Amino acid sequence: MRIRSEQLNPIVGDIEGNAAKIRTSLKKAEKESIDLLILPEMCLCGYPPMDLLERESFLKKTEAELQKIIESTGETGLLFGSPVRNLSKTGRPLFNSAVFAHQGELKAVTHKTLLPTYDVFDESRYFESNTEFRLVEFRGCRLGITICEDIWNTRNEFIYHNYAYDPVAILSDKGADLLINIAASPFSRNKPGFRKKMLQDHARRLHIPVVYANQVGANTELIFDGDSMVVDSEGMILERAELFGEGFVDAVWDAGTGTMNPTHNQVSPRLQPDEEVFKALSLGLRDYFEKSRLSKKVILGLSGGIDSALTAAIAVEALGSENVTGITMPSGFSSAGSVTDSEKLAGNLGMKIQTLPIGDIYGAFVKTLEPLFEGMPFNLAEENLQSRSRGVLLMAIANKFGYLLINTGNKSELAVGYCTLYGDMAGGISVISDLYKHEVYSLSRWLNAHYYKKEIIPEAIITKEPSAELRPDQKDSDSLPAYDVLDGILKAYIEEQKGLEEIVSLGYDPAVAKTILNLVDRNEHKRRQAPPGLRVSPKAFGIGRQLPLAHGWKHQM
């Protein structure tokens, strides 16, 4: 039996377009004599559909296209993901299901058992959990069909939930010859290696081949890397698709020997960590524009610093240099390099750049406020006036020309609140908000050394001391610890969920650690108002991190 695992890039809510994509894959598979075509979780409606699932019109359209797909099947069996109604009178109204069709008929429907409700997932909000386990027989092979989380039971990067069922073990005990998992598993840093090991462990433990089909593409904050693969019963990777692009892998199930064999020996080489992140962010930004039906024209503020430089490089990669315009907006506190380094960067990337000094605008604000501020020292109010002046100009240009402003803030500054509401926090999408400052530097250096193989991001930008340039001789180090210290504390607190005592036990100064944790907590209100950011870590700011704004929690040793 020839089996194909194909990773598709659906658009959430574009049910007709997704259905057409599914039928195109099916026709190609039939033409190439594929016996079983396996497609990702929820690929008919896109994942995650969120509260669209609560709209009757959405469900009816999904059902209509589902039936058309079923009727279009011929000799190739088709397994794909879709929401399916729960016809019982109890539980949630829907199932997250794997639909199996063959020769124009619905042959089987398998429902998802383990419904994640941690981090970015909220499946129990919509779906009822499966409690019945059945194999699906097809051409002499007993298929054990699972959906995404079903195969991740207690094998995630962080264990949020100990489930009552282990679906893959149950299906193995029932005599499955082959384990199939259709997934919409989002990317995070190091996830491909972790995923590979997880699938290999299942195959070796149960002595069953595993076929994995994962969604690719990005939907708002979430980026899906694909990484579809076929693993034999000894845990060997027979076929593995490229990351971050549509594609497929083929293998052959030999019913006589009960073995899985490669077709093309296509095992795509793995990417370096910085390359993974760069490809993920580029895909995330590109799909945000394409799937939102937005013009690809973007603007961003170029400060001469590392954050805006990296954001510009990613934007050019994702959207093309002709679609990216940088605006440099020097004030009286800006260094000479804020403009000249930005101009060099823009020239290297082939993007447009304009300079709009804000000195007069800032001066007008200060003069207007003088009667109210009389006798008071220069402080954060005057600093933020500069950032907000820049935000006003950027939004005006975006409005005038139909551009989208992209945000350039990093995770470190967003964590501790070193960003200005209605100023440098403006934008429709945040590109690097899930990269700590040290990761911004690492990725920038990697781009020059390995991707461009020449200096595109000017060395002066990479080596200059970080500064917001909102007051004379200002440096980030004036009020923050060194970024290797800051980022270590932030990662332990945000991603690893460690408390103050645990963080101090790692060797960090208690007073510094407590100050940083308090800054993170105190600035939750800012993050609530930040633009959506592309997720590349196991715990990003956004839909996967939910904390109260008003609370009385205090960190104690």
Side-chain angles (χ1 to χ4, degrees), residues 118 122 322 358 380 439 450 504:
Y118 56 83
D122 197 9
E322 70 279 7
I358 65 166
L380 196 61
E439 292 171 330
H450 300 285
V504 170

Side-chain angles (χ1 to χ4, degrees), residues 37-301:
L37 173 63
I38 303 168
L39 302 177
E41 176 185 16
M42 301 287 278
C43 61
L44 179 53
C45 66
Y47 187 91
M50 305 174 83
D51 282 0
L52 289 174
L53 292 168
E54 296 177 346
R55 299 181 182 180
E56 183 63 21
S57 58
F58 181 87
L59 297 176
K60 285 183 176 179
K61 185 63 178 178
T62 301
E63 289 171 327
E65 292 298 331
L66 177 62
Q67 186 59 37
K68 290 178 185 178
I69 293 170
I70 291 170
E71 293 171 356
S72 71
T73 57
E75 288 305 306
T76 297
L78 175 64
L79 180 67
F80 65 104
S82 174
V84 170
R85 290 188 196 264
N86 177 8
L87 299 180
S88 74
K89 294 183 179 180
T90 59
R92 298 293 183 189
L94 299 170
F95 290 106
N96 180 341
S97 302
V99 176
F100 180 59
H102 183 226
Q103 293 180 330
E105 297 180 356
L106 176 65
K107 296 296 185 180
V109 179
T110 299
H111 305 313
K112 189 171 183 176
T113 302
L114 307 184
L115 302 177
T117 56
Y118 56 83
D119 195 57
V120 299
F121 305 105
D122 197 9
E123 294 205 14
S124 289
R125 181 183 178 101
Y126 314 103
F127 301 118
E128 186 65 12
S129 179
N130 169 63
T131 56
E132 299 179 356
F133 297 89
R134 299 187 181 93
L135 302 179
V136 175
E137 293 199 23
F138 182 63
R139 296 192 174 167
C141 185
R142 292 167 296 184
L143 307 176
I145 299 170
T146 61
I147 303 173
C148 204
E149 184 81 356
D150 291 344
I151 207 167
W152 286 94
N153 181 17
T154 69
R155 291 171 177 83
N156 282 292
E157 294 158 289
F158 301 106
I159 306 302
Y160 290 94
H161 195 123
N162 288 315
Y163 296 102
Y165 296 102
D166 185 353
V168 295
I170 293 172
L171 293 169
S172 174
D173 290 342
K174 286 182 174 291
D177 297 313
L178 176 63
L179 185 65
I180 296 173
N181 186 261
I182 65 170
S185 177
F187 170 81
S188 60
R189 198 180 296 101
N190 302 318
K191 183 76 166 283
F194 195 84
R195 179 190 291 124
K196 173 192 170 190
K197 183 180 184 304
M198 179 271 294
L199 295 173
Q200 289 177 309
D201 288 347
H202 280 305
R204 294 185 185 118
R205 176 174 63 98
L206 302 172
H207 305 290
I208 300 175
V210 179
V211 179
Y212 177 76
N214 189 32
Q215 179 174 293
V216 72
N219 292 317
T220 313
E221 298 175 35
L222 301 185
I223 302 165
F224 300 86
D225 54 331
D227 201 20
S228 302
M229 68 185 86
V230 179
V231 186
D232 73 9
S233 59
E234 302 301 316
M236 179 176 291
I237 305 297
L238 302 179
E239 305 271 347
R240 191 174 184 184
E242 290 187 12
L243 295 177
F244 306 114
E246 290 188 313
F248 59 82
V249 290
D250 295 345
V252 177
W253 164 258
D254 188 328
T257 61
T259 58
M260 186 71 77
N261 301 292
T263 299
H264 306 294
N265 290 299
Q266 175 191 332
V267 180
S268 298
R270 295 301 89 189
L271 308 177
Q272 295 298 312
D274 283 320
E275 186 176 7
E276 280 186 359
V277 170
F278 180 64
K279 285 183 174 291
L281 293 176
S282 300
L283 173 62
L285 187 60
R286 184 181 307 115
D287 271 9
Y288 185 78
F289 280 83
E290 291 182 356
K291 294 183 179 184
S292 301
R293 308 295 199 273
L294 294 169
S295 165
K296 290 184 178 180
K297 298 291 185 180
V298 301
I299 62 165
L300 72 159

